[in-house]
Amino acid sequence: MAKAIPSRSENYSEWYNELIKRADLAENSAVRGCMVIKPYGFAIWEKMQRALDDMFKETGHQNAYFPLFIPKSFLSKEASHVEGFAKECAVVTHYRLKNAEDGSGVIVDPEAKLEEELIVRPTSETVIWSTYKNWIQSYRDLPLLINQWANVVRWEMRTRIFLRTAEFLWQEGHTAHATAEEAKFETRQMLDIYAQFAEEWMALPVVKGTKTANERFAGADDTLCIEAMMQDGKALQAGTSHFLGQNFAKAFDVQFLNKQNQLDYVWGTSWGVSTRLMGALIMAHSDDDGLVLPPKLAPIQVVIVPIYRSEEQLELLSAKIKPLVQELRKAGVSVKYDDSDANKPGWKFAEYELRGVPVRLAMGGRDLENGTVEIARRDLKTKETVPFEGLTEHIKNLLDDIQQTIYNKAKTFRQANTYKVDTFEEFQAQLDKGGFILAHWDGTSETEEAIKEATKATIRCIPFDQEAEEGVDIFSGKPSAGRVVFARAY
């Protein structure tokens, strides 16, 4: 094996980057700021996709696909939206290349300038709402519940794999409703789905809340979010759901005849999560020996390694193990039997630990005689010897226990690193240690911006479960009705 991964305590950023590389999840591409997601990393993303897609469809949503290119004029129709994305847009200006006359290669053909520039999709509200105008005429066409799985481009200058890349994968839901109440219900429902996915699949506890006006999605009336804590104490926004009001409907003239036979503008929502969830999964659970994956999202949930001295012994072990493999697969467990002779068992143990496989089984000659097998669990790094009989049920229960244990550990960590502070001096001292800080805020954008400027901390959300509590803003000294969640964030 190569040298050890840098420890989290010494250099968290280097640990993260090196772990992604060593676990074979992704790598930087030839295009600056973009990433190549490798098969093992993509297998995790596919599991995320599948689970989320099922949850969306259970609530009546359908998948569709819209163009990658957006006419520049579309972005001009919603003023706050274009202002929010203008600095991040990649622009297509020409439609053809040609060979250079000096033979040096291809150049952009100056005669092939587009009449109107095209924007490479940073998000799809504008192109989708221009389409909805043709789809919606009556209240009978509503609600319109559409999701799209796609890639988007946001021209990031400082990139980090999974967390912030110029191109990334995501899903974006875009829905249209007859009333504001229905749209607000949808906005909250989808945030609750994201929270359920984070907690039940990613084993990641989250805080649900509302974004401040400063942090709100460009073009939305309200933005809801889930915020997670990473092991370095920083926050990561793990999902957002936006109530768009009638902003995009008015910008693109999407009207419908209501039940009173009157024309009205529809009410909209949009919501999305992206491959940054991969970064959250890594940073929330993994350790200095490699990935720690919740079983529900692990590409390989169980690996079985035979320990043998001869081909004859391997044949005997395989005769015992292969029926178990089939039994586990029938029970819905993803399992790999690694009987390759390319590497020794010790190397395999370390490699599967690095890749975060939740359960490892080892079986040798003595185990064969005794009717036992050694089981190692990745999360606690414990081993036990158990009878071979009844092993499938034991493993299924063990995977459930690992999933819950990983969640409990993350939740305990968050609770231990959440603090109430009442003065700006306490606030600054705690920020350097990391964690979520519950502090009073006077509700003004000016104070929020001043705190951000002074400390690089932002209000992550106004929690839904915020307690009414009279107090004074830690910075301005003005009255406050309750505490909000501050943190430094990715």
Side-chain angles (χ1 to χ4, degrees):
M1 290 293 290
K3 65 177 183 177
I5 298 167
S7 72
R8 290 161 294 170
S9 58
E10 289 176 8
N11 191 325
Y12 194 80
S13 179
E14 189 181 345
W15 165 81
Y16 174 79
N17 292 334
E18 193 66 18
L19 178 51
I20 288 172
K21 177 183 173 183
R22 298 277 193 91
D24 218 26
L25 299 176
E27 63 187 27
N28 290 311
S29 78
V31 181
R32 184 191 172 281
C34 294
M35 62 178 168
V36 174
I37 305 176
K38 302 180 82 172
Y40 193 66
F42 202 79
I44 299 171
W45 175 243
E46 282 182 313
K47 281 203 160 191
M48 290 181 168
Q49 266 189 310
R50 198 170 298 124
L52 282 165
D53 202 58
D54 286 346
M55 295 167 89
F56 298 159
K57 286 172 180 170
E58 283 172 12
T59 46
H61 298 82
Q62 300 179 81
N63 288 333
Y65 186 79
F66 297 86
L68 174 68
F69 300 114
I70 301 170
K72 185 180 71 174
S73 59
F74 281 20
L75 267 74
S76 301
K77 290 189 177 185
E78 216 291 329
S80 58
H81 187 69
V82 69
E83 185 181 353
F85 284 100
K87 294 179 181 179
E88 299 178 345
C89 288
V91 185
V92 180
T93 58
H94 291 73
Y95 61 83
R96 187 170 62 216
L97 301 173
K98 69 174 187 177
N99 287 318
E101 292 180 2
D102 62 4
S104 59
V106 294
I107 60 171
V108 174
D109 185 347
E111 301 298 319
K113 194 173 190 323
L114 290 168
E115 287 185 21
E116 180 181 4
E117 294 92 340
L118 297 173
I119 310 304
V120 182
R121 172 175 56 214
T123 180
S124 296
E125 276 77 9
T126 57
V127 73
I128 287 177
W129 281 93
S130 73
T131 305
Y132 283 1
K133 179 177 171 58
N134 302 320
W135 292 4
I136 299 169
Q137 280 81 42
S138 160
Y139 69 89
R140 293 184 179 89
D141 300 321
L142 299 171
L144 187 57
L145 308 175
I146 302 294
N147 175 66
Q148 125 165 305
W149 292 95
N151 62 334
V152 292
V153 172
R154 296 182 184 174
W155 214 252
E156 299 282 358
M157 293 297 104
R158 296 179 181 177
T159 59
R160 184 179 294 180
I161 290 182
F162 291 129
L163 297 177
R164 200 171 290 277
T165 49
E167 179 195 16
F168 54 91
L169 305 180
W170 78 346
Q171 59 74 213
E172 49 180 323
H174 299 272
T175 70
H177 304 265
T179 67
E181 290 70 25
E182 287 179 18
K184 287 177 180 177
F185 177 85
E186 166 80 0
T187 307
R188 179 60 189 264
Q189 174 184 243
M190 300 319 293
L191 188 83
D192 289 342
I193 284 175
Y194 288 153
Q196 181 185 353
F197 171 75
E199 298 196 335
E200 293 182 7
W201 288 79
M202 296 179 66
L204 183 66
V206 293
V207 177
K208 294 190 285 188
T210 306
K211 286 289 189 186
T212 64
N214 281 16
E215 297 289 324
R216 190 179 295 155
F217 175 70
D221 283 358
D222 202 8
T223 291
L224 311 181
C225 65
I226 52 172
E227 297 286 332
M229 184 186 293
M230 303 297 98
Q231 288 181 78
D232 61 350
K234 285 187 179 179
L236 188 142
Q237 181 180 283
T240 51
S241 185
H242 315 289
F243 171 58
L244 303 177
Q246 294 175 311
N247 298 336
F248 286 91
K250 289 178 178 178
F252 289 90
D253 195 30
V254 185
Q255 298 186 69
F256 72 106
L257 275 175
N258 61 26
K259 290 183 179 181
Q260 290 74 43
N261 208 36
Q262 297 171 327
L263 271 179
D264 195 6
Y265 290 102
V266 299
W267 299 81
T269 81
S270 64
W271 29 272
V273 295
S274 74
T275 37
R276 104 181 324 232
L277 290 181
M278 293 285 293
L281 192 71
I282 296 162
M283 291 196 295
H285 303 312
S286 301
D287 60 27
D288 292 349
D289 294 315
L291 288 177
V292 174
L293 295 176
K296 285 187 177 182
L297 294 178
I300 304 167
Q301 294 173 312
V302 177
V303 63
I304 305 174
V305 179
I307 301 171
Y308 57 93
R309 294 183 179 178
S310 65
E311 287 298 318
E312 291 76 18
Q313 193 175 44
L314 175 60
E315 287 179 15
L316 291 172
L317 289 167
S318 294
K320 186 75 171 175
I321 292 169
K322 286 181 177 178
L324 172 66
V325 170
Q326 295 305 315
E327 192 176 319
L328 285 168
R329 286 176 179 162
K330 284 180 183 177
V333 177
S334 59
V335 58
K336 178 178 179 179
Y337 176 40
D338 189 349
D339 60 350
S340 68
D341 60 1
N343 297 290
K344 294 185 180 298
W347 187 95
K348 293 177 183 179
F349 292 172
E351 183 67 10
Y352 291 118
E353 183 175 82
L354 173 65
R355 286 179 161 236
V357 176
V359 173
R360 185 187 75 233
L361 271 59
M363 192 174 193
R366 185 171 296 176
D367 294 304
L368 197 59
E369 292 174 7
N370 297 335
T372 58
V373 64
E374 181 188 81
I375 298 182
R377 55 186 288 172
R378 174 64 182 88
D379 60 326
L380 301 179
K381 297 180 184 173
T382 56
K383 296 178 184 177
E384 60 175 339
T385 300
V386 300
F388 198 87
E389 294 303 316
L391 197 52
T392 296
E393 194 63 28
H394 181 86
I395 288 171
K396 286 176 65 181
N397 293 334
L398 182 60
L399 290 170
D400 289 342
D401 185 67
I402 292 170
Q403 183 83 25
Q404 190 63 45
T405 299
I406 292 174
Y407 174 81
N408 292 345
K409 182 181 178 183
K411 190 170 185 179
T412 300
F413 179 83
R414 189 188 71 185
Q415 290 170 339
N417 289 277
T418 299
Y419 310 90
K420 284 186 178 181
V421 303
D422 294 308
T423 69
F424 193 60
E425 290 72 25
E426 287 179 295
F427 182 83
Q428 289 176 300
Q430 188 54 56
L431 262 182
D432 292 333
K433 299 173 186 175
F436 286 177
I437 300 176
L438 305 178
H440 279 283
W441 170 55
D442 63 19
T444 68
S445 294
E446 293 76 18
T447 298
E448 180 183 6
E449 194 57 39
I451 292 173
K452 181 179 178 180
E453 184 70 25
T455 66
K456 293 186 171 62
T458 54
I459 297 176
R460 303 314 305 159
C461 69
I462 304 165
F464 291 154
D465 60 0
Q466 180 194 51
E467 295 178 9
E469 179 188 342
E470 297 282 327
V472 294
D473 185 290
I474 56 167
F475 189 84
S476 69
K478 295 177 182 177
S480 163
R483 296 177 188 269
V484 297
V485 179
F486 283 91
R488 290 187 177 131
Y490 285 98

